[in-house]
């Protein structure tokens, strides 16, 4: 067995994939340090905190299909980090609203989506506000260099739990095969707008007064969520998240925030039944996700693996290696963590 210093793993990215990987390493007795450029953990599961509201602008809820993920989710439930949501889900097309019914259980973080990743980060070493700009070294002796020129290391292994094009930039010429794998994964962008209102939205005919979320069939807008009806947020007023379609976001990626919010609110207005008008918002904004959801999944020989691991001690995980959901990202990180523990025994 290696000495402790050569067993150290660095994980770049403290989204759900990086955290799942870190938890598996920690459970296997291996030392791990996470680095994230953001102020907190969560990545695309983080929440925006405004003076009057907490808004989820990335993942809105997640579903559970895999039994290993189910065990993890049950423990988050016991810890009070998640709750079932939405239970009043609707679909809308040109003013006609239908209740969306299926057997899928949906859950979200409470009191915000980031509660899940904060729960996962408990007890782990996480260096936030640390953007890793490049890697130095070689197998077993990796150094991470951050935006201020500070060096972190040495690490036996470095896991890149970040979107594929960001991973590609960090890999540089260190590992051509991993860099080539990154080129096969395309992460599509998504605009997410938000709007606050001083009064609740008007009642809609034949729709629950406390409807929680609606899928919209419109070329601009795909999903609208009422944040104040998420568990643990009853003290905030009407606060919508409006998620744009990916193709529309691609075409409008460099538009201004104002133009995007206006277009998405207009699309929501069009989706309301005839004669119902949105009240005037009291505050508006939008967030541009450049790498929101993977489109083309990695192919090639290792297609049955939902992570990549090379002899150089570099590894890749995240939703791009498996599928476009929270569950996929968690499974990718968890499986990589288990593989690294198995290799170190
Ligand atoms: C708008 C939107 C809506 C979505 N809706 C849903 C949904 O309803 N249900 C669902 O299941 N999934 C949804 N998803 C997808 C889900 O959010 C993602 O699949 C999942 O969160 C990805 O996790 P990850 O850990 O792979 O990556 P990320 O969450 O992106 O984590 C990567 C982390 O790496 C950090 N990072 C990047 N580069 C560096 C660097 N150089 N140095 C340091 N840190 C770095 C970032 O700050 C980030 O925290 C949605 C995504 C978006 C964007």
């Amino acid at each position: 067995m290696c000495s402790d210093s050569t067993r150290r793993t660095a994980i770049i990215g403290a989204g759900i994939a990086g955290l799942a990987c870190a938890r598996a390493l920690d459970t296997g007795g291996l030392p791990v340090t996470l680095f994230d450029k953001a102020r907190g953990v969560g990545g695309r599961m983080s929440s925006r905190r405004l003076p009057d509201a907490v808004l989820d602008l990335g993942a809105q809820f997640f579903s559970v299909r895999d039994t290993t993920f189910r065990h993890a989710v049950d423990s988050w439930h016991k810890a009070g980090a998640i709750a079932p949501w939405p239970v009043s889900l609707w679909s809308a097309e040109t003013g006609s609203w239908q209740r969306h019914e299926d057997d899928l259980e949906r859950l979200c973080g409470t009191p915000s989506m980031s509660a899940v990743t904060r729960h996962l980060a408990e007890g782990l070493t996480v260096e936030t506000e640390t953007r890793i700009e490049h890697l130095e070294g070689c197998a077993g002796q990796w150094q991470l260099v951050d935006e201020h020129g500070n060096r972190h290391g040495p690490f036996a292994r470095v896991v890149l739990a970040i979107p594929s094009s960001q991973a590609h930039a960090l890999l540089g010429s260190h590992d051509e095969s991993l860099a080539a794998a990154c080129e096969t994964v395309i992460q599509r962008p998504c605009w997410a707008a938000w709007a606050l209102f001083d009064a609740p939205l008007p009642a809609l005919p034949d729709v629950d007064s406390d409807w929680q979320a609606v899928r919209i069939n419109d070329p601009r807008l795909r999903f609208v969520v009422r944040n104040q009806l998420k568990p643990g947020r009853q003290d905030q007023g009407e606060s919508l998240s409006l998620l744009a379609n990916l193709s529309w976001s691609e075409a409008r990626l460099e538009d201004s925030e104002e133009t995007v919010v206006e277009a998405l609110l207009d699309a929501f207005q069009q989706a309301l039944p005839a004669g119902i008008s949105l009240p005037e918002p009291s505050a508006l904004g939008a967030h541009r996700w450049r790498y929101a959801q993977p489109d083309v999944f990695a192919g090639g020989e290792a297609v049955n693996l939902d992570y990549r691991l090379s002899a150089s001690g570099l590894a890749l995980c995240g939703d791009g290696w498996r599928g476009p959901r929270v569950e996929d990202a968690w499974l990718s990180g968890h499986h990589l963590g288990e593989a690294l523990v198995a290799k170190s025994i």
Side-chain angles (χ1 to χ4, degrees):
M1 185 171 303
C2 311
S3 74
D4 234 23
S5 63
T6 57
R7 282 156 32 104
R8 293 177 70 205
T9 300
I11 300 182
I12 306 173
I16 188 112
L19 288 164
C21 184
R23 285 248 76 96
L25 290 168
D26 189 61
T27 303
L30 295 181
V32 56
T33 306
L34 290 131
F35 297 87
D36 204 290
K37 64 184 181 181
R39 261 183 303 173
V41 299
R44 281 170 274 163
M45 288 179 78
S46 54
S47 314
R48 172 83 55 100
R49 196 166 290 276
L50 301 176
D52 297 327
V54 175
L55 303 159
D56 296 332
L57 295 179
Q60 298 299 322
F61 58 80
F62 59 89
S63 46
V64 185
R65 293 164 174 83
D66 176 274
T67 45
T68 310
F69 186 53
R70 160 62 61 199
H71 287 310
V73 167
D74 286 347
S75 72
W76 306 347
H77 212 156
K78 272 199 199 114
I82 55 171
W85 195 94
V87 290
S88 178
L89 175 61
W90 296 75
S91 300
E93 186 163 359
T94 51
S96 162
W97 286 47
Q98 311 288 332
R99 189 184 292 279
H100 180 97
E101 278 171 318
D102 60 29
D103 291 335
L104 207 57
E105 185 185 6
R106 295 178 176 85
L107 300 137
C108 82
T110 173
S112 65
M113 201 54 166
S114 55
V116 175
T117 45
R118 272 186 278 119
H119 172 64
L120 284 178
E122 275 168 24
L124 295 174
T125 306
V126 188
E127 305 276 352
T128 51
E129 297 186 270
T130 309
R131 178 193 293 270
I132 302 304
E133 297 223 310
H134 59 271
L135 307 180
E136 287 180 358
C138 55
Q141 290 292 321
W142 291 106
Q143 296 276 349
L144 278 48
V145 184
D146 69 25
E147 62 200 313
H148 306 296
N150 299 319
R151 285 187 154 59
H152 307 265
F155 293 99
R157 289 179 296 236
V158 181
V159 171
L160 286 81
I162 58 183
S164 52
S165 50
Q166 295 174 321
H168 187 269
L170 277 183
L171 285 167
S173 58
H174 288 300
D175 194 310
E176 285 174 12
S177 121
L178 291 187
C182 287
E183 284 169 14
T184 66
V185 182
I186 295 166
Q187 290 274 1
R188 301 182 72 189
C190 178
W191 272 108
W194 52 268
L196 307 187
F197 300 86
D198 289 334
L201 295 186
L204 309 181
D206 303 321
V207 177
D208 295 350
S209 59
D210 53 357
W211 65 269
Q212 295 169 333
V214 58
R215 293 184 196 282
I216 312 270
N217 190 359
D218 178 275
R220 294 168 288 180
L221 181 63
R222 62 175 162 135
F223 205 52
V224 177
V225 158
R226 300 174 90 183
N227 285 281
Q228 81 280 9
L229 297 178
K230 289 190 162 189
R233 291 191 226 178
Q234 57 283 356
D235 293 341
Q236 69 189 58
E238 189 74 63
S239 36
L240 303 183
S241 295
L242 303 102
L243 304 193
N245 267 311
L246 301 187
S247 305
W248 187 84
S249 300
E250 251 149 20
R252 305 302 173 110
L253 196 55
E254 303 310 330
D255 280 11
S256 68
E257 269 187 45
E258 294 72 23
T259 317
V260 166
V261 186
E262 198 184 317
L264 295 182
L265 273 178
D266 181 59
F268 185 43
Q269 173 64 66
Q270 306 293 319
L272 293 175
I276 308 268
S277 294
L278 277 178
E280 208 43 47
S282 55
L284 296 164
H287 180 80
R288 182 198 289 116
W289 295 101
R290 284 196 184 274
Y291 307 109
Q293 285 181 284
D295 184 33
V296 178
F297 302 145
E301 281 171 33
V303 78
N304 56 332
L305 286 184
D306 53 15
Y307 58 84
R308 295 291 182 275
L309 172 58
S310 103
S312 62
L314 299 177
L316 305 166
C317 68
D319 60 351
W321 305 101
R322 187 181 170 96
R325 300 190 184 94
V326 165
E327 177 174 35
D328 296 306
W330 185 89
L331 282 166
S332 169
H334 177 74
H335 289 152
L336 173 59
E338 289 200 320
L340 293 174
V341 170
K343 270 175 86 76
S344 72
I345 292 170

